[in-house]
Amino acid sequence: MTMKITSIRQGVVPISSQIANAYIDFSKMTASVVAITIEAGDGRQATGYGFNSNGRYAQPGLLAERFIPRLEEAGELAAHPDGGFDPIPAWTAMMRNEKPGGHGERSVAVGVLDMALWDAAAKLAGLPLWKLLANRYNGGKADDAAWVYAAGGYYHPGKDIDGLVEEMKRYLGMGYSTVKMKIGGSPGMAVREALLLDLGRIEAVLKLLDGDGSRLCVDVNGRFGLHAALSYAASIQGFGLRWYEEPLDPLDYSTHATLAEQYVPPIATGENLFSMVDARNLIRHGGLRPDRDILQMDPALSYGLVEYLRTLQMLREHGWSARRCVPHGGHQFALNIAVGLGLGGNESYPEVFAPFGGFATGVPVQDSRVRMPEVPGVGFEAKNELYAVLKDL
Ligand SMILES: O=C([O-])CC(=O)C(=O)O
Ligand SMILES: [Mg+2]
């Protein structure tokens, strides 16, 4: 049976807020949203939805000028050997006449469309995406739940240490046992002063977590140079934190290798690596340790799941387990991938980036684990606020 894309619509929606990390504020953050309708040879139709994660902006120009027209011109597409829709030939059509390297933000535009293709593929199969992925790529084995952690702890005008601790307390009340906070966001301050300030913030949150460092992640958003990263490393080493995230520029692999020689607990990075090749450079040259470090490549920013499947293959070839992957972005797409392909878990943003973050409405988090609904596709239709945005396309 062949399949055909019959319509593609796109829009731009704000996900702006007053929060900031150590590198950017989100006052003008936007996201692209798309809807793609696919017709199977037997006349059945499904509409899949996609969007990009926070941190990169909407890509209406790239979508309108290159990627949507190529998909529209793709014509009849070969089905997957299981008889269902296969996003891979559609993805290949989108990427025609694109050179390698210099990934820029076209990976974001392609990621938005890729998400919609997978949502439609799973809907045509009448399966939740996590089940389709387990069937196609994981010998039919899916996890029964995903580990999730609550990411927040942003800088916000007027927010002090008490405000930070109150926020973390709310996350514990929602069923999360591991939380993440921002550090390194003191522009213009000397490293020593900034470090003292951050140690006070970290210790206040650790107190709430009964001093258990394995329940706290800290995120620098790539702000530090090697000197600051090493100074912080020496001071936080003893806390045994769950991970020390994006301490350095994401593309500066050799400084990661130097840090990894000095800092024993886990380091996490990868949310700003947008291709399998970039991730492979990190693995080859970043000195990261497959027994503890965490890889956060986000399929919704980095050419989608078609490329992420290649990244997982590359990791296997380099002796890394998929369990070391905990994608950035806090969206249901990565949650399906985590459960269906056996990743280590997924990020979650209980209080920021609505309506794109979070899970199906009414699904509880228990002991930092969340189960998947049995809804066909990614599960957007079971997430009321998000579906209200998508269905308007
Ligand atoms: O603040 C951001 O850009 C998001 C981020 O780093 C994360 O979710 O880890
Ligand atoms: Mg991060």
Side-chain angles (χ1 to χ4, degrees):
M1 183 160 49
T2 52
M3 311 262 173
K4 205 170 164 18
I5 291 169
T6 55
S7 107
I8 307 178
R9 285 150 287 151
Q10 71 147 324
V12 173
V13 294
I15 42 169
S16 53
S17 65
Q18 294 308 304
I19 60 173
N21 63 36
Y23 221 108
I24 62 167
D25 69 58
F26 290 80
S27 57
K28 300 215 160 47
M29 188 56 59
T30 53
S32 280
V33 287
V34 298
I36 301 183
T37 301
I38 294 172
E39 202 176 276
D42 57 8
R44 285 176 309 123
Q45 280 201 348
T47 297
Y49 299 102
F51 54 81
N52 63 273
S53 289
N54 68 80
R56 300 283 159 165
Y57 298 84
Q59 302 294 329
L62 288 175
L63 285 165
E65 287 163 16
R66 302 216 297 277
F67 298 108
I68 290 177
R70 285 191 199 132
L71 265 187
E72 285 171 339
E73 290 157 13
E76 305 256 306
L77 294 160
H80 187 271
D82 69 11
F85 178 71
D86 186 357
I88 294 176
W91 191 95
T92 305
M94 272 197 277
M95 286 297 285
R96 206 174 148 254
N97 285 329
E98 294 290 325
K99 282 185 168 181
H103 299 287
E105 296 195 13
R106 73 181 172 191
S107 69
V108 177
V110 173
V112 173
L113 294 166
D114 171 282
M115 188 190 296
L117 293 170
W118 286 101
D119 186 34
K123 284 171 177 164
L124 279 171
L127 294 173
L129 179 60
W130 56 269
K131 229 176 226 176
L132 181 86
L133 295 178
N135 291 347
R136 285 190 183 176
Y137 304 108
N138 206 24
K141 290 191 310 283
D143 292 337
D144 60 1
W147 177 75
V148 288
Y149 69 96
Y154 279 84
Y155 298 98
H156 192 276
K159 183 174 170 185
D160 57 12
I161 293 192
D162 288 345
L164 173 67
V165 172
E166 279 307 310
E167 177 191 347
M168 297 297 157
K169 209 183 271 180
R170 288 194 294 276
Y171 298 153
L172 301 184
M174 292 173 197
Y176 295 93
S177 49
T178 305
V179 295
K180 182 164 92 183
M181 60 184 277
K182 300 298 179 183
I183 60 168
S186 309
M189 229 182 240
V191 172
R192 204 164 355 104
E193 272 174 276
L195 175 56
L196 277 178
L197 203 81
D198 272 333
L199 286 175
R201 296 172 66 243
I202 292 170
E203 280 165 1
V205 175
L206 277 175
K207 196 163 154 217
L208 175 73
L209 302 172
D210 303 320
D212 183 353
S214 74
R215 296 172 59 196
L216 178 62
C217 314
V218 294
D219 188 355
V220 184
N221 285 96
R223 177 87 266 178
F224 293 159
L226 189 54
H227 167 65
L230 288 170
S231 304
Y232 269 68
S235 296
I236 64 174
Q237 178 115 247
F239 295 140
L241 297 180
R242 182 71 171 234
W243 67 64
Y244 180 21
E245 176 169 329
E246 268 205 319
L248 293 155
D249 185 284
L251 292 169
D252 186 347
Y253 304 121
S254 74
T255 56
H256 284 80
T258 304
L259 177 66
E261 281 173 9
Q262 304 296 324
Y263 184 72
V264 177
I267 295 169
T269 189
E271 68 177 71
N272 289 301
L273 300 183
F274 289 171
S275 66
M276 180 281 282
V277 175
D278 282 338
R280 191 174 63 195
N281 277 333
L282 175 71
I283 296 302
R284 282 179 175 163
H285 308 295
L288 296 187
R289 303 147 301 185
D291 65 347
R292 77 196 80 162
D293 292 327
I294 299 295
L295 303 170
Q296 301 175 301
M297 287 74 76
D298 177 348
L301 295 176
S302 53
Y303 293 113
L305 174 55
V306 173
E307 181 80 356
Y308 197 72
L309 289 167
R310 293 185 192 125
T311 298
L312 291 174
Q313 176 64 26
M314 175 279 291
L315 290 174
R316 273 191 294 277
E317 287 164 9
H318 287 76
W320 282 72
S321 162
R323 295 286 178 204
R324 309 265 30 109
C325 295
V326 181
H328 162 273
H331 45 79
Q332 278 169 299
F333 186 51
L335 194 64
N336 275 272
I337 297 169
V339 167
L341 300 182
L343 307 186
N346 195 38
E347 181 165 24
S348 172
Y349 301 112
E351 293 190 353
V352 290
F353 306 126
F356 293 98
F359 321 114
T361 308
V363 173
V365 177
Q366 285 168 323
D367 283 335
S368 258
R369 295 185 69 79
V370 67
R371 291 176 164 278
M372 300 301 289
E374 291 281 341
V375 185
V378 172
F380 300 132
E381 286 75 2
K383 187 162 162 39
N384 301 344
E385 274 171 282
L386 175 59
Y387 189 56
V389 173
L390 298 174
K391 78 173 179 358
D392 278 350
L393 268 172

